[in-house]
Every structure is written in C-alpha cells, then in structure tokens.
Amino acid sequence: MNLILIGMKHCGKSTLGAKLAQRWNCAFYDVDQRIEENYACQTAVPRKVREIFTEDGEEEFHKAETQVVCELAMKLERSSERHVVAVGGRTVLNETNRRLLGDLGQMVYLQVDPRELYRRIARSGLPPFLNPSDPEGDFLRLCREREPQYLGIADLVVNLDGMDIEQALDTLIERLNEM
C-alpha cells in the first residue's frame, strides 16, 4: 500500500514521510524535492521550489509539479513495493494530480491547526504566494478554502495538533495500523 501525505504547507508531510519510510524500510518520494532535481537537470541551475515558483511563475511551477506526479505515478504503479509520497499543499487540488495520486494509494491528510502552521511558516520565511500586505490573513483564508477539499479526498485524516515530530509519527503509525 502506497501512502500519499497531503495537507497544508509545514504540516509535516516531508519530515513525517521520510521518518515513516525509514521506519517501514521503504522508499520515500518528496514531490517538491523531485521538482528541484528535475529543474536542476533541465537547466543546470539548482533552485528551490520557492525560487522556481517566484522566478518562473505559478503556471510553469504547476506544469513541473504535474510532470513529477506523472513520472512518479508511472514508476510506482509498476511496483509491488510500499512507498511513501509527500506532495505540496496545492498538488492534490489539481484534478490530474489528484487522480494520478489517488490511483497510487491511500491519501492521508495531516491536519494541523492553521495558526500553528502560520507560526511555522513565519519562522522559515513567508512563501511567495501569500499576499505581503496580510500574509497571515491570506494563509488562514487558504486553509479555510483547502480544508474541505483535503477532507473530501482523504482516505484518512490524522490530526497532529500540539505534537512534536516523534509524537506525530507515533500517532500517524497508530492511525495507519487501525486502517
């Protein structure tokens, strides 16, 4: 069974995904990391997803994201092994990406209080898609818009409010075992 970790920015998809894959001794794929790798291969210029988004534009970023999701889907659908995949916050909001990922395995929504997520984001630098005149309000609005969509596609919702990374990992594994 493949697991696709979905949720808002800084909810723990990449960190928990890597730890879960390590614990399960299986492969871990981070869509954002693969976008960066593909970009570096195609342009010979290493850039972070934030830079790709800012410098090449949202439309080009989402094309690159869909290409990575398609490549992963083709690779993983032929495998009988278990994999963990972490996707960007908007990845599953794209219908093509959602269909490809949904066919690969179980979608697990990592739910964290939006104000906590904003505090995490503010510590690491505001993303370019937030309105600079009211980044917190804009982020909270995005959370309100995306929450019903995540809930609608998730096979499992795991609330991680107030947990450190080890508690979150234990909770995630416990919920997956119940499933």
Side-chain angles (χ1 to χ4, degrees):
M1 166 181 73
N2 294 315
L3 288 180
I4 317 301
L5 301 179
I6 66 173
M8 289 298 292
K9 183 174 187 59
H10 281 283
C11 70
K13 300 177 299 277
S14 297
T15 303
L16 287 171
K19 287 186 172 291
L20 180 62
Q22 183 178 26
R23 179 124 5 134
W24 281 354
N25 196 29
C26 69
F28 170 65
Y29 298 97
D30 185 304
V31 168
D32 283 350
Q33 181 181 356
R34 293 187 69 101
I35 291 169
E36 293 171 356
E37 291 166 357
N38 282 2
Y39 189 90
C41 286
Q42 293 169 4
T43 65
V45 178
R47 285 202 178 133
K48 296 291 185 193
V49 290
R50 176 184 302 243
E51 296 167 315
I52 297 167
F53 187 96
T54 301
E55 295 172 22
D56 292 3
E58 185 173 356
E59 185 176 331
E60 287 303 312
F61 176 81
H62 292 302
K63 283 181 189 176
E65 182 178 60
T66 297
Q67 178 182 346
V68 165
V69 168
C70 184
E71 290 168 0
L72 274 174
M74 289 175 21
K75 178 179 182 166
L76 301 185
E77 74 182 357
R78 292 187 284 252
S79 172
S80 61
E81 303 292 318
R82 176 167 40 188
H83 306 90
V84 178
V85 179
V87 301
R90 282 197 48 167
T91 305
V92 294
L93 303 182
N94 172 294
E95 185 177 338
T96 300
N97 294 341
R98 183 172 54 249
R99 184 177 37 78
L100 289 167
L101 292 166
D103 289 346
L104 279 181
Q106 302 293 313
M107 297 256 204
V108 179
Y109 172 32
L110 302 182
Q111 187 181 52
V112 177
D113 179 81
R115 293 198 186 279
E116 172 58 27
L117 292 174
Y118 184 77
R119 284 190 290 275
R120 294 177 188 178
I121 288 169
R123 283 193 299 265
S124 65
L126 296 176
F129 58 81
L130 290 180
N131 179 343
S133 66
D134 182 16
E136 183 175 13
D138 195 30
F139 182 77
L140 296 176
R141 178 191 56 77
L142 281 174
C143 289
R144 283 190 306 274
E145 288 174 3
R146 291 181 185 179
E147 175 87 0
Q149 295 176 67
Y150 292 145
L151 290 170
I153 61 176
D155 297 299
L156 176 66
V157 177
V158 182
N159 186 290
L160 304 175
D161 285 345
M163 296 182 196
D164 66 26
I165 201 67
E166 291 306 318
Q167 291 169 321
L169 180 61
D170 290 343
T171 299
L172 176 58
I173 290 170
E174 180 180 312
R175 292 293 314 279
L176 289 168
N177 288 337
E178 291 170 1
M179 198 169 126

Short mmCIF file of all heavy atoms in Angstrom, two decimals, residues 93-130:
data_model
loop_
_atom_site.label_atom_id
_atom_site.label_comp_id
_atom_site.label_asym_id
_atom_site.label_seq_id
_atom_site.Cartn_x
_atom_site.Cartn_y
_atom_site.Cartn_z
N LEU A 93 -4.90 19.58 -5.34
CA LEU A 93 -6.02 20.43 -5.74
C LEU A 93 -6.15 20.44 -7.26
O LEU A 93 -7.20 20.83 -7.79
CB LEU A 93 -5.83 21.84 -5.20
CG LEU A 93 -5.68 21.94 -3.68
CD1 LEU A 93 -5.55 23.38 -3.25
CD2 LEU A 93 -6.82 21.24 -2.96
N ASN A 94 -5.11 20.00 -7.96
CA ASN A 94 -5.13 19.85 -9.42
C ASN A 94 -5.78 18.50 -9.73
O ASN A 94 -5.36 17.47 -9.21
CB ASN A 94 -3.70 19.93 -9.95
CG ASN A 94 -3.60 19.58 -11.41
OD1 ASN A 94 -3.85 18.45 -11.81
ND2 ASN A 94 -3.19 20.55 -12.20
N GLU A 95 -6.81 18.51 -10.56
CA GLU A 95 -7.57 17.30 -10.82
C GLU A 95 -6.72 16.16 -11.38
O GLU A 95 -6.87 15.00 -10.98
CB GLU A 95 -8.73 17.61 -11.77
CG GLU A 95 -9.65 16.43 -12.00
CD GLU A 95 -10.83 16.78 -12.89
OE1 GLU A 95 -11.18 17.96 -13.01
OE2 GLU A 95 -11.38 15.84 -13.47
N THR A 96 -5.83 16.47 -12.31
CA THR A 96 -4.97 15.44 -12.89
C THR A 96 -4.08 14.82 -11.82
O THR A 96 -3.97 13.60 -11.71
CB THR A 96 -4.10 16.03 -14.02
OG1 THR A 96 -4.96 16.55 -15.03
CG2 THR A 96 -3.18 14.98 -14.62
N ASN A 97 -3.44 15.66 -11.02
CA ASN A 97 -2.57 15.17 -9.95
C ASN A 97 -3.37 14.32 -8.95
O ASN A 97 -2.92 13.26 -8.52
CB ASN A 97 -1.90 16.32 -9.21
CG ASN A 97 -0.94 17.09 -10.07
OD1 ASN A 97 -0.48 16.62 -11.10
ND2 ASN A 97 -0.64 18.30 -9.65
N ARG A 98 -4.53 14.80 -8.59
CA ARG A 98 -5.37 14.11 -7.61
C ARG A 98 -5.74 12.71 -8.12
O ARG A 98 -5.68 11.73 -7.38
CB ARG A 98 -6.63 14.94 -7.33
CG ARG A 98 -7.52 14.36 -6.28
CD ARG A 98 -8.66 15.30 -5.89
NE ARG A 98 -9.45 15.77 -7.00
CZ ARG A 98 -9.48 17.02 -7.45
NH1 ARG A 98 -8.73 17.95 -6.88
NH2 ARG A 98 -10.23 17.36 -8.46
N ARG A 99 -6.10 12.62 -9.39
CA ARG A 99 -6.48 11.33 -9.97
C ARG A 99 -5.28 10.39 -10.00
O ARG A 99 -5.37 9.22 -9.59
CB ARG A 99 -7.03 11.53 -11.37
CG ARG A 99 -7.53 10.27 -12.03
CD ARG A 99 -8.14 10.53 -13.40
NE ARG A 99 -7.50 11.55 -14.19
CZ ARG A 99 -6.36 11.40 -14.89
NH1 ARG A 99 -5.73 10.25 -14.86
NH2 ARG A 99 -5.86 12.39 -15.59
N LEU A 100 -4.13 10.90 -10.47
CA LEU A 100 -2.92 10.06 -10.54
C LEU A 100 -2.50 9.56 -9.16
O LEU A 100 -2.21 8.38 -8.98
CB LEU A 100 -1.77 10.84 -11.18
CG LEU A 100 -1.89 11.10 -12.68
CD1 LEU A 100 -0.85 12.14 -13.11
CD2 LEU A 100 -1.73 9.81 -13.47
N LEU A 101 -2.48 10.45 -8.19
CA LEU A 101 -2.07 10.08 -6.84
C LEU A 101 -3.09 9.18 -6.17
O LEU A 101 -2.74 8.24 -5.46
CB LEU A 101 -1.79 11.33 -6.01
CG LEU A 101 -0.57 12.14 -6.45
CD1 LEU A 101 -0.59 13.52 -5.81
CD2 LEU A 101 0.71 11.41 -6.14
N GLY A 102 -4.36 9.48 -6.38
CA GLY A 102 -5.42 8.66 -5.78
C GLY A 102 -5.38 7.22 -6.27
O GLY A 102 -5.69 6.29 -5.52
N ASP A 103 -4.96 7.03 -7.53
CA ASP A 103 -4.84 5.68 -8.08
C ASP A 103 -3.64 4.93 -7.50
O ASP A 103 -3.57 3.71 -7.57
CB ASP A 103 -4.72 5.72 -9.60
CG ASP A 103 -6.02 6.12 -10.28
OD1 ASP A 103 -7.08 6.11 -9.62
OD2 ASP A 103 -5.97 6.44 -11.49
N LEU A 104 -2.69 5.66 -6.95
CA LEU A 104 -1.46 5.05 -6.43
C LEU A 104 -1.61 4.47 -5.03
O LEU A 104 -0.88 3.57 -4.64
CB LEU A 104 -0.33 6.07 -6.37
CG LEU A 104 0.40 6.35 -7.65
CD1 LEU A 104 1.51 7.36 -7.40
CD2 LEU A 104 0.98 5.08 -8.25
N GLY A 105 -2.50 5.05 -4.23
CA GLY A 105 -2.59 4.56 -2.86
C GLY A 105 -3.53 5.38 -2.01
O GLY A 105 -4.38 6.12 -2.51
N GLN A 106 -3.34 5.28 -0.71
CA GLN A 106 -4.19 5.94 0.27
C GLN A 106 -3.72 7.38 0.49
O GLN A 106 -2.55 7.62 0.74
CB GLN A 106 -4.13 5.19 1.60
CG GLN A 106 -4.55 3.73 1.50
CD GLN A 106 -6.02 3.59 1.17
OE1 GLN A 106 -6.86 4.23 1.78
NE2 GLN A 106 -6.32 2.76 0.19
N MET A 107 -4.67 8.31 0.45
CA MET A 107 -4.38 9.71 0.72
C MET A 107 -4.58 9.95 2.22
O MET A 107 -5.65 9.68 2.76
CB MET A 107 -5.32 10.62 -0.05
CG MET A 107 -5.18 10.50 -1.53
SD MET A 107 -4.28 11.87 -2.18
CE MET A 107 -4.90 11.84 -3.84
N VAL A 108 -3.53 10.45 2.86
CA VAL A 108 -3.57 10.72 4.30
C VAL A 108 -3.39 12.22 4.51
O VAL A 108 -2.35 12.78 4.18
CB VAL A 108 -2.48 9.93 5.05
CG1 VAL A 108 -2.52 10.24 6.54
CG2 VAL A 108 -2.64 8.43 4.80
N TYR A 109 -4.43 12.85 5.05
CA TYR A 109 -4.41 14.28 5.31
C TYR A 109 -3.83 14.52 6.70
O TYR A 109 -4.39 14.10 7.70
CB TYR A 109 -5.83 14.84 5.20
CG TYR A 109 -6.01 16.27 5.63
CD1 TYR A 109 -5.01 17.23 5.49
CD2 TYR A 109 -7.21 16.68 6.18
CE1 TYR A 109 -5.20 18.54 5.89
CE2 TYR A 109 -7.43 17.99 6.58
CZ TYR A 109 -6.41 18.91 6.43
OH TYR A 109 -6.61 20.21 6.84
N LEU A 110 -2.69 15.21 6.74
CA LEU A 110 -2.06 15.59 8.01
C LEU A 110 -2.63 16.94 8.40
O LEU A 110 -2.28 17.98 7.84
CB LEU A 110 -0.54 15.64 7.86
CG LEU A 110 0.12 14.35 7.38
CD1 LEU A 110 1.64 14.53 7.32
CD2 LEU A 110 -0.25 13.17 8.26
N GLN A 111 -3.50 16.93 9.38
CA GLN A 111 -4.25 18.11 9.79
C GLN A 111 -3.58 18.77 11.00
O GLN A 111 -3.33 18.10 12.01
CB GLN A 111 -5.68 17.69 10.13
CG GLN A 111 -6.64 18.79 10.42
CD GLN A 111 -8.01 18.22 10.76
OE1 GLN A 111 -8.13 17.34 11.62
NE2 GLN A 111 -9.04 18.71 10.10
N VAL A 112 -3.30 20.05 10.86
CA VAL A 112 -2.69 20.84 11.94
C VAL A 112 -3.42 22.18 12.00
O VAL A 112 -3.80 22.73 10.96
CB VAL A 112 -1.17 21.06 11.69
CG1 VAL A 112 -0.55 21.93 12.77
CG2 VAL A 112 -0.44 19.72 11.59
N ASP A 113 -3.59 22.69 13.21
CA ASP A 113 -4.25 23.98 13.39
C ASP A 113 -3.61 25.04 12.50
O ASP A 113 -2.38 25.19 12.50
CB ASP A 113 -4.16 24.40 14.86
CG ASP A 113 -4.81 25.75 15.08
OD1 ASP A 113 -6.04 25.79 15.20
OD2 ASP A 113 -4.07 26.75 15.13
N PRO A 114 -4.40 25.79 11.72
CA PRO A 114 -3.85 26.78 10.80
C PRO A 114 -2.96 27.84 11.46
O PRO A 114 -1.97 28.28 10.87
CB PRO A 114 -5.09 27.42 10.17
CG PRO A 114 -6.13 26.36 10.26
CD PRO A 114 -5.84 25.64 11.55
N ARG A 115 -3.29 28.24 12.67
CA ARG A 115 -2.45 29.26 13.33
C ARG A 115 -1.07 28.70 13.68
O ARG A 115 -0.07 29.40 13.60
CB ARG A 115 -3.15 29.81 14.56
CG ARG A 115 -4.39 30.61 14.17
CD ARG A 115 -4.88 31.52 15.26
NE ARG A 115 -6.12 32.15 14.89
CZ ARG A 115 -6.23 33.22 14.12
NH1 ARG A 115 -5.15 33.79 13.62
NH2 ARG A 115 -7.42 33.74 13.84
N GLU A 116 -1.03 27.43 14.05
CA GLU A 116 0.26 26.78 14.29
C GLU A 116 1.05 26.69 12.99
O GLU A 116 2.25 26.93 12.96
CB GLU A 116 0.07 25.39 14.90
CG GLU A 116 1.36 24.58 15.01
CD GLU A 116 2.46 25.23 15.84
OE1 GLU A 116 2.16 26.03 16.75
OE2 GLU A 116 3.64 24.93 15.57
N LEU A 117 0.38 26.33 11.92
CA LEU A 117 1.05 26.26 10.62
C LEU A 117 1.63 27.62 10.23
O LEU A 117 2.75 27.71 9.74
CB LEU A 117 0.07 25.79 9.53
CG LEU A 117 -0.39 24.35 9.63
CD1 LEU A 117 -1.46 24.07 8.59
CD2 LEU A 117 0.78 23.39 9.49
N TYR A 118 0.85 28.67 10.46
CA TYR A 118 1.34 30.01 10.11
C TYR A 118 2.58 30.36 10.94
O TYR A 118 3.53 30.94 10.42
CB TYR A 118 0.25 31.08 10.27
CG TYR A 118 0.78 32.41 9.81
CD1 TYR A 118 0.88 32.70 8.46
CD2 TYR A 118 1.25 33.35 10.73
CE1 TYR A 118 1.43 33.90 8.02
CE2 TYR A 118 1.80 34.55 10.29
CZ TYR A 118 1.88 34.81 8.94
OH TYR A 118 2.44 35.99 8.52
N ARG A 119 2.58 30.00 12.21
CA ARG A 119 3.76 30.28 13.05
C ARG A 119 4.99 29.56 12.49
O ARG A 119 6.09 30.12 12.44
CB ARG A 119 3.51 29.87 14.50
CG ARG A 119 2.62 30.86 15.26
CD ARG A 119 2.58 30.55 16.75
NE ARG A 119 1.85 29.33 17.07
CZ ARG A 119 0.53 29.27 17.24
NH1 ARG A 119 -0.22 30.33 17.10
NH2 ARG A 119 -0.04 28.12 17.55
N ARG A 120 4.81 28.33 12.04
CA ARG A 120 5.93 27.58 11.45
C ARG A 120 6.41 28.25 10.17
O ARG A 120 7.62 28.37 9.94
CB ARG A 120 5.49 26.14 11.14
CG ARG A 120 5.18 25.31 12.36
CD ARG A 120 4.68 23.94 11.94
NE ARG A 120 4.19 23.17 13.07
CZ ARG A 120 3.66 21.96 12.96
NH1 ARG A 120 3.57 21.37 11.78
NH2 ARG A 120 3.23 21.32 14.03
N ILE A 121 5.47 28.67 9.36
CA ILE A 121 5.81 29.32 8.09
C ILE A 121 6.55 30.62 8.35
O ILE A 121 7.56 30.92 7.70
CB ILE A 121 4.55 29.57 7.24
CG1 ILE A 121 4.03 28.24 6.70
CG2 ILE A 121 4.81 30.54 6.11
CD1 ILE A 121 2.66 28.33 6.10
N ALA A 122 6.06 31.41 9.28
CA ALA A 122 6.67 32.70 9.58
C ALA A 122 8.12 32.54 10.04
O ALA A 122 8.98 33.38 9.73
CB ALA A 122 5.84 33.45 10.63
N ARG A 123 8.41 31.46 10.76
CA ARG A 123 9.78 31.21 11.22
C ARG A 123 10.73 30.89 10.07
O ARG A 123 11.91 31.18 10.13
CB ARG A 123 9.81 30.06 12.23
CG ARG A 123 9.33 30.44 13.61
CD ARG A 123 9.67 29.37 14.64
NE ARG A 123 9.06 28.09 14.38
CZ ARG A 123 7.92 27.65 14.90
NH1 ARG A 123 7.23 28.42 15.72
NH2 ARG A 123 7.46 26.45 14.63
N SER A 124 10.20 30.25 9.03
CA SER A 124 11.08 29.81 7.94
C SER A 124 11.04 30.73 6.72
O SER A 124 11.73 30.48 5.74
CB SER A 124 10.72 28.38 7.52
OG SER A 124 9.43 28.35 6.97
N GLY A 125 10.26 31.77 6.78
CA GLY A 125 10.17 32.70 5.65
C GLY A 125 8.87 32.53 4.90
O GLY A 125 8.49 31.41 4.55
N LEU A 126 8.19 33.63 4.65
CA LEU A 126 6.88 33.58 4.01
C LEU A 126 7.01 33.15 2.56
O LEU A 126 7.88 33.61 1.83
CB LEU A 126 6.20 34.95 4.08
CG LEU A 126 5.88 35.45 5.49
CD1 LEU A 126 5.31 36.85 5.44
CD2 LEU A 126 4.92 34.50 6.19
N PRO A 127 6.12 32.27 2.12
CA PRO A 127 6.15 31.82 0.72
C PRO A 127 5.67 32.94 -0.21
O PRO A 127 4.90 33.81 0.20
CB PRO A 127 5.20 30.63 0.71
CG PRO A 127 4.32 30.81 1.88
CD PRO A 127 5.10 31.58 2.90
N PRO A 128 6.09 32.89 -1.48
CA PRO A 128 5.77 33.96 -2.41
C PRO A 128 4.30 34.05 -2.80
O PRO A 128 3.86 35.09 -3.30
CB PRO A 128 6.63 33.63 -3.64
CG PRO A 128 6.89 32.17 -3.54
CD PRO A 128 6.92 31.86 -2.07
N PHE A 129 3.52 33.01 -2.55
CA PHE A 129 2.12 33.05 -2.96
C PHE A 129 1.23 33.79 -1.97
O PHE A 129 0.05 34.02 -2.25
CB PHE A 129 1.58 31.64 -3.23
CG PHE A 129 1.67 30.70 -2.06
CD1 PHE A 129 0.74 30.72 -1.04
CD2 PHE A 129 2.70 29.78 -1.99
CE1 PHE A 129 0.82 29.85 0.03
CE2 PHE A 129 2.79 28.90 -0.93
CZ PHE A 129 1.85 28.94 0.09
N LEU A 130 1.77 34.18 -0.81
CA LEU A 130 0.95 34.89 0.17
C LEU A 130 0.97 36.39 -0.10
O LEU A 130 1.99 36.96 -0.48
CB LEU A 130 1.46 34.63 1.59
CG LEU A 130 1.25 33.23 2.13
CD1 LEU A 130 1.80 33.11 3.54
CD2 LEU A 130 -0.21 32.82 2.09
#
